Amino acid sequence: MLFNSLDFAVFLPLVFGIYWLLKNYHLKYQNTFLLLSSYVFYGWWDWRFLMLIAFSTIVDFIIGNLLFKAEKSFKRKILLSLSLVVNLGLLGFFKYFNFFIDNVNQVFSFLGKPLELRGLEIILPVGISFYTFQTLSYTLDIYHKKLKPTNNFMAFAGFVSFFPQLVAGPIERAKNLLPQFKTIRVFNKQKAIDGLRQILWGLFKKIVIADQCALIVNDCFSNPEAYNPLTLVFGAFFFAIQIYGDFSGYSDIAIGTARLFGFDLMKNFAFPYFSRNIAEFWRRWHISLSTWFRDYVYIPLGGSKGTKAMVVRNIFAVFLISALWHGANWTFIIWGLIHALCYVPLLFFNTTRTYTDTVAVNRLLPNLKELLSILFTFILTTLAWIFFRAETLSHAFNYLDAIWSESIWQIPNFVNNMMAFTTFLLVGFMLATEWIAREHNFALEKLATNWKRPLRWTFYYLLILSIFYFFGSEQEFIYFQF
Amino acid sequence: MKGFLRYILLFLMPLLVLLIAMEIFLQSIPNNYKVKSNYIEKHSEAIETLILGNSHTYYGLNPEWMDQQSFNMSHVSQSFDIDLAILKHYLPKMTQLNTVVIRLSYDSMFETLSETNEHWRYKDYALYTNIPLEYYWKHHSEILSISFKENLKRIYKYYLKSEASVTCNPFGWGMDAHSSQAKDLYKTGALVAKKHTATSKNLFDDNFKTLKEIADLCLQNKVDVIMVTPPAFESYYLNLNYQQLEATVNTGLELANQYDHVSYYNFLEYWRFDREHFFDADHLNERGALLFSKMINDIIHK
């Protein structure tokens, strides 16, 4: 079920109503109902894949408990390996099997001994990368004795399949989410209203911003040769905005929805396009995944300890794995490589943690240095997004080639100039709103809350009407494919 | 909780009022489905020839040019499963019916309305006809089936610009594919041919089964079936996929061989139709409809 669908518009109030009616009964009824609702939500796509989630849940629940009881190091390692093999095996099969076969074929063909191995027609289960990482973190935390396993299966199953964040995150840690399944949730009006505001802003970013940008982006990327360089530059710019609106919009809806049910999910985006260097960008973009890689890949590899060469190796390893997490395609690997290459100089100049605060605190506008840093970082990330968006490496290079082929100073030739102009204005509104709110958790957290009710509600109505106006067909979220 | 629900209800009230008003306004706009449904409900006992199909027959066959009491029940993107549902629903009341004309277009065997991106058209059957189909809950509302932007345009066009919303004549023929507004035949040909070329054969067997059911139903009720592949402009038929076209034509021939009351006519490349008869590469204009209707009329007489 998509968040931006009419089905979800019916599903959410229904589940919300029944869920809070159950609060007078035992907590386990509420958890069981949440679990069933989450399975319905997921099964709406393809009920067959529910078995994968259930299997992953049962395996990690059992292994978690056995790991905790096991004292011998050897036995603990065997159990951890079992969890890794099951979880990564499923992920690897569904996501990387055909990529592996393709590349083996290419290598043997290059060596003059074509193998012609055949791939399989595999449907990638929605959200498999997200819930696999969530269950893995549970087992890894128990292995490292940072977490005690739970004996409450319903709570654990709820943690694995909690519908607001099941298919595209935030990738939660058991330490944060699991205890919330074990404690009684009390309805809080203010929290619920905050949740609705966050859902509203998320829908605005998805439907009004991302889906509108997608129309221009799809034109530009489907046939780059047909457009002049400036149009293609705008195409890349709009993709940077599209993927942000799409994914951060999803995260806002997920976090807002969880709040309606009394849960607090971790923050996933912190206005990343206002970052002043790549290191800051990665502290603000897809935070739940970045911190996952930091805790389970970067630090175990040695982190920032050791020689510079080792740190550089660790950085490249993290970006490579992160790239592969996004998909089995060389375009993602180049995307990760660009980010790693932009990150490494910061290591040598010890500037990875220069910007840990919010830009231009207590000021309306940034100073010139901040502005130039933000623009420079944005240009670097946008360049990398071209590889992320392209279907193949040659597609990405064709796009870049078309940008450099002629003079950039030509009037853009969009298919629909009026639509491009409107989208540009909408993006400007979104960025301005987020700039004003950059010290908060999400754009509408404080914005307009102290306005008088008629004015505040008018503002919300305008946002809702713009969502209605731009709502066409139900467009999938980009991150569902990962 | 009660405070929260009161607050939300109060907040949503103006939006709900707006949406309900829009729904009422939209459903009050006269439309082809309503007009045709009213006609067939009132005159079903008198109809002798019933025309079923998609836009090709909707624009291509004008019952006014036929000698028998005829009615065109085709709609844009209508597929065989809906044709069958129409027949099942109205056949018991159609005591005078002796002929059913049904199109067998290049794309007909490979699609159903529910599988296309035009599935929103189900709402027109759900809201304005009595035809029992498998409707999704969204199809019972205009605002839930079509985008808000499109609905605003419709309200603006009908209520503020007073534009006509019914585009068929009283006998169900579509009048809006007029020669005065003809499209570029060469540009539309290749594009539409590509659009109509199926990516899979998944629906072929289901559609064949449906056609056989239509043939059986007509046989039981002593009604003849005339299956026609409508004429198209060369820019369309020269860009078609040979295998798909062959499968379509073979379906018509096979059914005509199998049943005595079924006949099949392929007009796709018929020489009498030239550029002056087409609105676009695969739809006839009013001149083409006149010629095509008279030809079908002759076939009925035979």
Side-chain angles (χ1 to χ4, degrees):
Chain A
M1 204 180 289
L2 292 169
F3 280 162
N4 54 332
S5 67
L6 289 168
D7 297 328
F8 187 70
V10 174
F11 172 85
L12 182 63
L14 206 68
V15 174
F16 174 82
I18 299 172
Y19 173 83
W20 286 113
L21 279 177
L22 290 171
K23 79 176 183 348
N24 297 329
Y25 301 94
H26 200 277
L27 182 67
K28 77 175 176 193
Y29 293 117
Q30 241 185 359
N31 283 346
T32 308
F33 178 69
L34 259 190
L35 180 66
L36 284 174
S37 307
S38 297
Y39 275 35
V40 169
F41 176 85
Y42 190 82
W44 213 253
W45 276 291
D46 197 327
W47 61 270
R48 291 168 301 175
F49 293 131
L50 281 174
M51 283 176 243
L52 276 183
I53 298 187
F55 178 66
S56 196
T57 305
I58 293 166
V59 167
D60 284 291
F61 180 75
I62 295 169
I63 290 179
N65 280 292
L66 291 176
L67 253 179
F68 186 69
K69 285 174 198 158
E71 285 171 6
K72 286 181 185 168
S73 165
F74 177 72
K75 195 178 174 188
R76 290 171 59 76
K77 278 183 182 157
I78 291 284
L79 286 166
L80 178 67
S81 304
L82 190 62
S83 169
L84 291 174
V85 166
V86 169
N87 286 300
L88 295 178
L90 285 174
L91 184 63
F93 173 74
F94 282 103
K95 204 162 172 174
Y96 305 108
F97 182 78
N98 283 339
F99 179 67
F100 174 74
I101 294 290
D102 284 349
N103 282 282
V104 167
N105 281 338
Q106 279 181 19
V107 168
F108 276 86
S109 157
F110 180 74
L111 295 172
K113 291 179 181 173
L115 274 182
E116 292 183 6
L117 295 174
R118 291 181 71 181
L120 298 172
E121 280 187 27
I122 299 171
I123 304 169
L124 183 69
V126 176
I128 188 167
S129 309
F130 290 89
Y131 69 74
T132 300
F133 270 41
Q134 192 155 309
T135 49
L136 267 182
S137 76
Y138 172 77
T139 329
L140 286 164
D141 281 351
I142 295 172
Y143 178 78
H144 289 119
K145 299 186 174 170
K146 290 178 186 167
L147 183 76
K148 280 186 182 175
T150 178
N151 290 319
N152 185 336
F153 181 73
M154 275 300 160
F156 181 72
F159 154 73
V160 176
S161 61
F162 187 39
F163 77 86
Q165 47 86 240
L166 172 61
V167 288
I171 302 165
E172 276 294 335
R173 305 295 178 81
K175 216 173 1 181
N176 176 41
L177 188 55
L178 196 50
Q180 296 185 58
F181 274 94
K182 293 180 187 169
T183 45
I184 291 170
R185 275 89 63 179
V186 180
F187 183 78
N188 180 318
K189 182 183 169 188
Q190 198 46 52
K191 190 171 175 173
I193 290 173
D194 279 351
L196 287 176
R197 267 205 296 267
Q198 195 157 1
I199 293 172
L200 175 61
W201 189 245
L203 285 172
F204 178 83
K205 281 196 283 188
K206 166 63 185 160
I207 293 167
V208 180
I209 302 297
D211 290 353
Q212 281 303 108
C213 287
L215 299 173
I216 300 167
V217 172
N218 293 345
D219 283 339
C220 290
F221 275 84
S222 63
N223 189 13
E225 291 82 7
Y227 298 97
N228 67 31
L230 193 56
T231 315
L232 297 176
V233 169
F234 276 116
F237 163 79
F238 280 125
F239 180 66
I241 300 297
Q242 182 199 345
I243 194 160
Y244 171 68
D246 195 285
F247 194 21
S248 75
Y250 180 91
S251 296
D252 276 338
I253 301 168
I255 296 167
T257 305
R259 302 193 98 188
L260 287 177
F261 293 85
F263 287 86
D264 288 309
L265 298 182
M266 73 180 290
K267 192 166 159 176
N268 216 15
F269 286 85
F271 313 107
Y273 287 149
F274 303 141
S275 303
R276 287 151 288 181
N277 63 26
I278 288 292
E280 188 186 9
F281 175 82
W282 279 105
R283 278 194 297 277
R284 294 173 173 276
W285 179 277
H286 202 175
I287 299 165
S288 64
L289 183 70
S290 312
T291 50
W292 199 100
F293 282 124
R294 182 196 65 197
D295 295 345
Y296 301 109
V297 180
Y298 183 67
I299 292 173
L301 282 173
S304 52
K305 290 171 190 161
T307 61
K308 280 276 189 239
M310 284 166 72
V311 180
V312 169
R313 180 203 65 187
N314 299 344
I315 290 293
F316 271 89
V318 167
F319 277 108
L320 178 70
I321 297 169
S322 167
L324 284 172
W325 179 89
H326 283 88
N329 195 328
W330 285 97
T331 52
F332 294 121
I333 294 173
I334 298 296
W335 168 77
L337 199 66
I338 293 172
H339 276 279
L341 288 171
C342 293
Y343 200 100
V344 167
L346 303 177
L347 269 181
F348 283 98
F349 293 109
N350 283 327
T351 51
T352 54
R353 299 199 66 80
T354 306
Y355 304 117
T356 50
D357 58 342
T358 305
V359 64
V361 179
N362 300 326
R363 280 183 282 133
L364 179 64
L365 296 170
N367 60 35
L368 187 63
K369 188 188 164 206
E370 286 166 338
L371 182 66
L372 291 176
S373 308
I374 290 171
L375 282 176
F376 183 63
T377 310
F378 182 74
I379 289 167
L380 286 180
T381 51
T382 303
L383 176 74
W385 285 134
I386 292 175
F387 285 89
F388 194 95
R389 172 61 177 77
E391 277 146 35
T392 58
L393 278 184
S394 59
H395 183 203
F397 286 119
N398 281 347
Y399 195 93
L400 287 168
D401 191 41
I403 290 180
W404 305 122
S405 61
E406 301 170 48
S407 164
I408 199 147
W409 305 115
Q410 295 177 52
I411 296 167
N413 58 340
F414 294 106
V415 173
N416 183 338
N417 283 327
M418 191 60 207
M419 187 186 78
F421 180 68
T422 313
T423 309
F424 207 75
L425 288 181
L426 290 167
V427 170
F429 168 74
M430 180 201 74
L431 289 176
T433 310
E434 296 228 317
W435 174 263
I436 293 165
R438 66 195 179 282
E439 288 177 63
H440 304 131
N441 286 315
F442 64 97
L444 300 188
E445 189 182 26
K446 296 278 188 285
L447 189 76
T449 48
N450 54 358
W451 296 358
K452 286 195 171 156
R453 184 183 277 190
L455 191 61
R456 188 172 75 242
W457 281 20
T458 305
F459 176 60
Y460 296 151
Y461 286 142
L462 287 174
L463 288 179
I464 293 170
L465 288 175
S466 69
I467 290 168
F468 283 172
Y469 188 78
F470 288 103
F471 182 73
S473 55
E474 293 153 3
Q475 298 290 324
E476 273 209 355
F477 289 85
I478 294 174
Y479 264 68
F480 278 22
Q481 62 187 293
F482 306 138
Chain B
M1 184 56 124
K2 276 182 191 165
F4 172 75
L5 292 178
R6 235 189 336 261
Y7 182 83
I8 292 301
L9 209 62
L10 193 66
F11 175 77
L12 292 178
M13 198 57 80
L15 286 172
L16 289 174
V17 170
L18 172 80
L19 294 177
I20 291 167
M22 264 184 88
E23 183 69 40
I24 293 168
F25 278 125
L26 287 164
Q27 288 199 24
S28 307
I29 297 175
N31 61 63
N32 296 342
Y33 292 82
K34 217 187 275 189
V35 168
K36 286 190 177 194
S37 183
N38 287 345
Y39 183 94
I40 202 167
E41 291 287 344
K42 272 188 200 164
H43 302 95
S44 54
E45 285 176 10
I47 293 170
E48 293 167 299
T49 299
L50 181 68
I51 300 158
L52 293 171
N54 57 11
S55 54
H56 295 150
T57 36
Y58 172 63
Y59 293 117
L61 291 174
N62 184 353
E64 277 182 312
W65 300 105
M66 295 181 172
D67 297 333
Q68 286 200 336
Q69 174 80 36
S70 309
F71 186 66
N72 190 333
M73 197 56 185
S74 312
H75 288 290
V76 175
S77 295
Q78 188 165 289
S79 46
F80 289 135
D81 51 333
I82 302 174
D83 293 337
L84 176 64
I86 292 171
L87 265 184
K88 274 185 179 170
H89 186 67
Y90 290 109
L91 211 50
K93 297 179 206 164
M94 294 177 147
T95 48
Q96 298 299 311
L97 189 73
N98 55 47
T99 309
V100 166
V101 179
I102 194 162
R103 59 68 194 84
L104 182 58
S105 303
Y106 168 70
D107 54 338
S108 313
M109 293 302 293
F110 299 86
E111 63 179 34
T112 55
L113 180 59
S114 56
E115 298 294 319
T116 67
N117 56 6
E118 303 235 342
H119 56 83
W120 55 268
R121 291 186 189 274
Y122 266 97
K123 60 100 185 162
D124 290 316
Y125 296 97
L127 289 169
Y128 308 113
T129 76
N130 299 320
I131 302 162
L133 296 170
E134 278 183 29
Y135 298 114
Y136 194 44
W137 63 273
K138 283 187 276 193
H139 296 140
H140 296 281
S141 155
E142 285 278 5
I143 55 166
L144 298 181
S145 300
I146 305 190
S147 76
F148 189 77
K149 196 196 285 189
E150 201 52 46
N151 280 331
L152 279 183
K153 273 188 204 164
R154 289 170 65 204
I155 288 174
Y156 172 74
K157 277 184 184 172
Y158 182 73
Y159 290 103
L160 298 174
K161 284 186 80 183
S162 304
E163 279 184 19
S165 55
V166 175
T167 53
C168 63
N169 73 0
F171 304 100
W173 170 67
M175 303 182 294
D176 47 335
H178 202 270
S179 52
S180 59
Q181 291 167 330
K183 292 183 182 166
D184 185 323
L185 298 184
Y186 287 95
K187 261 189 191 170
T188 52
L191 272 176
V192 180
K194 195 179 166 192
K195 190 182 148 197
H196 286 174
T197 299
T199 49
S200 85
K201 283 185 167 180
N202 291 349
L203 297 167
F204 184 89
D205 290 343
D206 286 346
N207 277 321
F208 192 78
K209 221 170 114 187
T210 309
L211 270 181
K212 283 191 81 169
E213 224 180 308
I214 289 174
D216 289 333
L217 193 65
C218 289
L219 181 65
Q220 284 164 21
N221 290 275
K222 296 190 175 90
V223 175
D224 289 336
V225 179
I226 298 173
M227 295 177 68
V228 287
T229 299
F233 191 62
E234 61 184 35
S235 60
Y236 178 76
Y237 65 71
L238 290 177
N239 282 296
L240 301 182
N241 174 288
Y242 177 72
Q243 280 87 6
Q244 182 173 331
L245 183 60
E246 194 184 31
T248 306
V249 173
N250 285 345
T251 301
L253 294 172
E254 193 182 330
L255 288 170
N257 274 335
Q258 209 174 328
Y259 296 93
D260 288 341
H261 70 298
V262 176
S263 51
Y264 171 61
Y265 299 87
N266 182 357
F267 292 100
L268 185 69
E269 300 178 28
Y270 196 64
W271 62 275
R272 285 181 70 186
F273 292 94
D274 57 30
R275 59 185 314 147
E276 69 166 24
H277 293 111
F278 289 97
F279 169 72
D280 60 23
D282 68 321
H283 293 109
L284 295 167
N285 60 24
E286 76 285 0
R287 288 186 204 128
L290 170 64
L291 179 58
F292 192 39
S293 307
K294 286 188 169 176
M295 289 166 75
I296 297 299
N297 189 45
D298 290 344
I299 291 170
I300 294 169
H301 278 297
K302 266 196 245 174

